[in-house]
Amino acid sequence: MFDSSSYDNPTSLAHTDASRDVFPRGDGDRFNSCQVIYSQFGLAIHQNDHQARRRFVELAQNEIAVVPDFHKRILFSDEAHFWLNGYVNKQNCRIWSEANPQVYVETPLHPEKLTVWCALWAGGIIGPYFFKNDEGHNVTVNGDRYRAMITNFFIPELNNHDVQELWFQQDGATCHTARATIDLLKDTFGDRLISRFGPVNWPPRSCGLTPLDYFLWGYVKSLVYVDKPQTLDLLEDNIRRVIADIRPQMLEKVIENWTTSVAVLCQKSYLKCNATRLCLE
């Protein structure tokens, strides 16, 4: 369970990147550091990931140099599962190793859960949006349901904002990146779309760069299970209440810390790219 008091001064995972343990500390470690790094689910992390991350953070730094409040104009978006039994989704927990760790994570066979989407920016939080079918039953997200959410919920919510000043970020999940989805988002945001297959590429496996992963979901999950909700309706009510109660000052700190994340990750990616280059020379 998370300690909600720690979120009074939220900071990014960029400061505590678990991958630092495999970064070379000296010449003797250099060659081992260039082996493939595996995530908990067997997903290989290659040197191209560092290069993609560095390209993005350099773009962000250049934008901030021209438009100082650029970071306050980005709508960061993501989904998360909330399990009725309080099980915490391990999707963003990584075990870093120079060999495949072959780790297994037990999950409930038939869990009851909610799939929740939010967009977070300096101006507030848009959402939560709960994915449900036509009968009102809770469902997980796919391409059709994601586009329906964008059309029927997200875009109407933007009517009170100057969309011409806003950017939109989404990760590279398959349900986000179908051509029809990218075209739909480009109709609203034009070149201000940060996404895989979008005008600005979002680097893969970069949870330290999105405040929903390093702040929002952990903070909400630290509070919604306190009263042990026994039904999905009660859990949904708790999620709505907790998100509605997030103070504007807290969001301001989260977004300001994003600029620190960008600077730290840019430096780390630069060092890792150079270490990889030296290994290959």
Side-chain angles (χ1 to χ4, degrees):
M1 186 66 70
F2 288 84
D3 177 9
S4 61
S5 63
S6 65
Y7 290 96
D8 287 337
N9 186 22
T11 56
S12 166
L13 290 180
H15 301 288
T16 56
D17 185 358
S19 64
R20 67 183 185 277
D21 290 336
V22 298
F23 183 73
R25 299 176 181 82
D27 291 341
D29 295 324
R30 182 174 291 158
F31 288 94
N32 287 337
S33 72
C34 290
Q35 297 175 10
V36 172
I37 301 172
Y38 289 87
S39 77
Q40 179 178 348
F41 295 93
L43 188 60
I45 312 299
H46 296 281
Q47 70 259 23
N48 288 343
D49 286 353
H50 304 308
Q51 296 167 356
R53 190 175 295 117
R54 186 185 175 203
R55 283 193 295 269
F56 174 78
V57 295
E58 286 180 341
L59 179 147
Q61 287 180 320
N62 291 337
E63 290 288 343
I64 291 173
V66 177
V67 183
D69 66 345
F70 167 73
H71 57 294
K72 298 181 180 180
R73 302 183 181 188
I74 304 174
L75 284 157
F76 297 94
S77 70
D78 196 17
E79 300 97 9
H81 295 315
F82 284 75
W83 309 78
L84 184 59
N85 62 2
Y87 168 78
V88 176
N89 186 6
K90 302 296 184 182
Q91 179 179 357
N92 291 321
C93 296
R94 304 299 185 195
I95 297 174
W96 299 90
S97 174
E98 294 176 356
N100 193 329
Q102 299 292 340
V103 173
Y104 296 90
V105 177
E106 293 184 2
T107 61
L109 182 60
H110 299 293
E112 290 188 283
K113 65 185 178 186
L114 301 172
T115 301
V116 186
W117 178 93
C118 282
L120 182 154
W121 66 305
I125 296 175
I126 296 177
Y129 177 90
F130 296 87
F131 285 93
K132 300 175 185 284
N133 60 19
D134 293 338
E135 289 74 38
H137 299 146
N138 297 293
V139 293
T140 55
V141 61
N142 60 25
D144 289 338
R145 292 166 184 159
Y146 186 71
R147 285 189 292 276
M149 182 276 296
I150 294 293
T151 301
N152 301 325
F153 174 77
F154 179 48
I155 292 178
E157 287 287 324
L158 292 176
N159 288 337
N160 295 326
H161 307 289
D162 185 359
V163 178
Q164 299 303 316
E165 295 293 325
L166 296 178
W167 293 63
F168 179 72
Q169 176 274 335
Q170 61 178 8
D171 65 27
T174 303
C175 60
H176 299 163
T177 56
R179 178 174 297 179
T181 306
I182 296 296
D183 289 344
L184 175 63
L185 290 168
K186 287 171 69 175
D187 286 343
T188 300
F189 294 98
D191 290 338
R192 303 180 312 283
L193 172 62
I194 305 170
S195 171
R196 183 186 181 196
F197 304 140
V200 176
N201 186 55
W202 177 253
R205 292 167 287 275
S206 296
C207 58
L209 277 174
T210 170
L212 288 99
D213 277 333
Y214 69 70
F215 162 68
L216 182 67
W217 299 134
Y219 175 75
V220 175
K221 289 181 179 181
S222 73
L223 298 176
V224 297
Y225 296 109
V226 170
D227 62 354
K228 297 180 174 58
Q230 299 299 306
T231 67
L232 290 177
D233 287 341
L234 291 174
L235 178 58
E236 180 176 329
D237 289 342
N238 283 359
I239 294 169
R240 292 185 186 278
R241 173 181 50 79
V242 169
I243 291 177
D245 288 344
I246 293 177
R247 303 184 306 275
Q249 296 84 350
M250 183 177 288
L251 292 180
E252 290 174 6
K253 291 181 180 179
V254 170
I255 297 302
E256 287 301 327
N257 281 327
W258 185 81
T259 61
T260 304
S261 303
V262 166
V264 171
L265 285 173
C266 184
Q267 182 181 18
K268 287 185 177 183
S269 296
Y270 174 78
L271 292 172
K272 290 175 183 177
C273 287
N274 279 352
T276 301
R277 176 180 56 79
L278 289 171
C279 292
L280 299 177
E281 288 179 349

